[in-house]
Amino acid sequence: MAENTEANRDAKQGMALALAIWGITIVSVAYFFKYGLPELASTRTSQDTLYYIILALTGFFYIAVQVFLGLYVWKYRHRDDAEGSYWHDSHKLEMAWTIGTAVILIPVVFAGLVVWQDVKAAPPEGDMLTIEAVAAQFQWDFRYPGGDGEFGEWSPELYSLENYLGVEPDDANGADDIHMINLLVLPVDQPVRILLRSKDVQHAFFLPNHRVKQDVMPGIQTMVWFTPTIVGEYEIACAELCGLGHYRMRAFLSVRSEADFQTWLTEQANQ
Ligand SMILES: [Cu+2]
């Protein structure tokens, strides 16, 4: 039986801390393996690739740092006969970690620019379906331009209970606009442009399966484009804490075949 000295207690605490550090590391890494990203249902593959590259890089260093942190907590625990050493600085060490970090991070920044160009800066050429999404506490409204392909003008001054989206009543383009509440229907494999505006506070349009997340601001219209690739039902969430009802600000995205989408659109137009 070891003596109950101060050094002995410190040694036990050191070991306990090391085990706690390693326990947290194992649980958090296992969590990432168990709950990865949801199924990708759009063309944003480059975004996922970069995500996994960064996750592997940071994951490697995270595990390495935690392993050594635990080891050193144990190795350099208090001992009555040991004295701490001190030195001022090490040029070599500082050069190594500065250059090492730069060599790893600079390519990541450039890879990020390539992905940004891919998903943000350059929508594909040709006809795009354009739909408007309007966020307000606590629901999502969607407006389709109708048969003429043109939206009616809108203005925040026109917001009212009867004219929820503030569409200009005198604008003939607005007469056939289609208004959906908490349901967005899209055709598969067709690039779509979503124009976003908010009626009150800041919200965020989040489609986890499509890797789309875009802030929605009052006073400015933002835009996001993407191409759904898998027919199915998905969740649209608000990703900005926008008030007490934020948790229930949830809508659905239904991706359908081109034919089913056209049928649905005609049904809506005839209502
Ligand atoms: Cu919201």
Side-chain angles (χ1 to χ4, degrees):
M1 199 54 198
E3 275 177 82
N4 190 20
T5 60
E6 197 181 327
N8 215 332
R9 272 201 312 279
D10 285 346
K12 278 183 185 156
Q13 282 170 2
M15 199 63 229
L17 183 57
L19 288 174
I21 289 168
W22 293 333
I24 291 168
T25 310
I26 291 167
V27 170
S28 54
V29 171
Y31 185 90
F32 268 99
F33 275 99
K34 189 163 175 356
Y35 306 99
L37 292 173
E39 185 195 18
L40 174 68
S42 77
T43 52
R44 293 194 171 191
T45 46
S46 60
Q47 212 168 308
D48 274 23
T49 307
L50 185 58
Y51 173 86
Y52 283 117
I53 290 172
I54 293 174
L55 188 64
L57 272 173
T58 51
F60 172 78
F61 285 103
Y62 171 69
I63 293 167
V65 165
Q66 303 309 313
V67 166
F68 281 102
L69 184 61
L71 276 179
Y72 287 150
V73 163
W74 166 248
K75 188 164 186 245
Y76 296 106
R77 68 193 182 276
H78 172 82
R79 284 196 200 86
D80 282 339
D81 56 343
E83 252 179 61
S85 57
Y86 173 81
W87 74 93
H88 191 65
D89 58 11
S90 163
H91 250 83
K92 268 189 196 152
L93 201 58
E94 285 179 27
M95 286 295 274
W97 77 52
T98 306
I99 293 170
T101 311
V103 164
I104 295 168
L105 289 187
I106 288 171
V108 171
V109 170
F110 280 99
L113 289 176
V114 172
V115 172
W116 185 259
Q117 177 70 22
D118 188 27
V119 304
K120 273 290 201 191
E125 304 279 317
D127 271 359
M128 263 182 124
L129 182 64
T130 302
I131 294 162
E132 193 184 48
V134 183
Q137 292 170 322
F138 297 95
Q139 75 180 36
W140 293 99
D141 290 79
F142 299 98
R143 186 159 68 117
Y144 292 71
D148 59 1
E150 301 278 342
F151 287 108
E153 291 290 326
W154 62 276
S155 157
E157 277 106 65
L158 296 170
Y159 288 151
S160 69
L161 278 179
E162 297 74 43
N163 188 357
Y164 188 78
L165 301 179
V167 179
E168 185 66 63
D170 299 331
D171 186 346
N173 286 335
D176 63 348
D177 288 358
I178 296 161
H179 178 190
M180 300 302 297
I181 298 169
N182 285 333
L183 177 65
L184 173 63
V185 181
L186 295 176
V188 73
D189 294 327
Q190 150 102 57
V192 57
R193 181 194 287 118
I194 312 274
L195 303 173
L196 296 144
R197 61 177 154 119
S198 166
K199 290 181 66 174
D200 41 42
V201 299
Q202 189 178 335
H203 302 271
F205 183 68
F206 183 30
L207 302 175
N209 292 86
H210 300 81
R211 311 296 190 253
V212 169
K213 193 186 260 176
Q214 176 66 52
D215 277 354
V216 189
M217 319 287 287
I220 192 173
Q221 202 161 40
T222 45
M223 190 275 278
V224 70
W225 71 269
F226 64 100
T227 310
T229 51
I230 305 175
V231 170
E233 308 295 312
Y234 305 93
E235 191 180 1
I236 301 171
C238 178
E240 194 71 58
L241 185 54
C242 57
L244 284 176
H246 164 70
Y247 69 93
R248 62 183 158 87
M249 188 160 171
R250 180 187 193 212
F252 293 93
L253 164 63
S254 175
V255 177
R256 303 182 183 175
S257 69
E258 177 66 34
D260 287 354
F261 173 74
Q262 289 304 338
T263 311
W264 174 84
L265 200 62
T266 315
E267 271 168 28
Q268 299 305 317
N270 293 336
Q271 265 181 16

